[in-house]
Amino acid sequence: MTSTPPLDPRAFRSALGCFATGIAVITTLAPDGAPVGVTVNSFSSVSLDPPLVQFCLGRTAASFAAFSAAPSFVVNILAADQEELSGRFSRRDLDDRWSGVAVEPSASGVPVLSGCLARLECDREHLLDGGDHVIVLGRVRRLASREDGAPLLYFRGGYAQIA
């Protein structure tokens, strides 16, 4: 039996970067009630019936414990003019992420970011093993979306726009 040589991590990341994705900030509440948010581009729909979505979160992320324990979360799908929010919630340092950010509470109390293209309020269904990440599966309970605006995109390691 022949073995396959290991993939070069840089080549793997570069190849994956060819897949353009939208960007979302996932928000929840920590056990102490503090707001928590993280930028992701590994978000997708899973099922229409029942309405399920998923996102992936690194096991070493500072927000990992909060999302692992939280019963609910909100997917905030960012608009093209929200690049600053994407950067703010992608930093490893959790301090001052929320300073000056316009939010409103969801039905479950989880913060919803203002001005997003869409929001999906979810109950956490499952945490699934995904190697160095965990796959968070959520059931959508409530949603809202705008008819106008363009998405914030990520492509080949940087922000992109629809031409």
Side-chain angles (χ1 to χ4, degrees):
M1 178 177 273
T2 61
S3 64
T4 305
L7 291 176
D8 173 47
R10 293 185 70 104
F12 183 55
R13 188 176 184 118
S14 179
L16 293 176
C18 292
F19 184 69
T21 64
I23 301 175
V25 172
I26 314 294
T27 55
T28 195
L29 294 173
D32 66 1
V36 176
V38 65
T39 300
V40 302
N41 69 338
S42 57
F43 163 77
S44 67
S45 63
V46 175
S47 169
L48 294 175
D49 186 17
L52 300 173
V53 296
Q54 67 85 30
F55 71 96
C56 299
L57 184 65
R59 292 181 186 277
T60 61
S63 57
F64 181 80
F67 280 103
S68 296
S72 60
F73 60 89
V74 174
V75 178
N76 300 273
I77 299 174
L78 299 185
D81 62 354
Q82 294 181 305
E83 188 175 319
E84 189 275 331
L85 281 178
S86 172
R88 175 185 292 248
F89 285 96
S90 66
R91 294 191 306 246
R92 291 214 39 99
D93 181 11
L94 297 179
D95 294 338
D96 293 329
R97 280 189 178 184
W98 295 94
S99 178
V101 175
V103 297
E104 58 189 75
S106 68
S108 62
V110 173
V112 174
L113 302 178
S114 297
C116 293
L117 289 181
R119 74 168 182 245
L120 307 166
E121 298 175 32
C122 305
D123 291 337
R124 183 173 46 83
E125 287 278 308
H126 299 289
L127 297 177
L128 307 166
D129 181 38
D132 60 1
H133 282 62
V134 65
I135 302 163
V136 182
L137 186 66
R139 182 180 296 253
V140 179
R141 297 297 184 186
R142 282 167 294 286
L143 54 82
S145 63
R146 295 176 16 199
E147 294 296 320
D148 65 325
L152 183 60
L153 300 176
Y154 200 71
F155 178 68
R156 290 192 170 150
Y159 294 107
Q161 301 283 323
I162 293 176

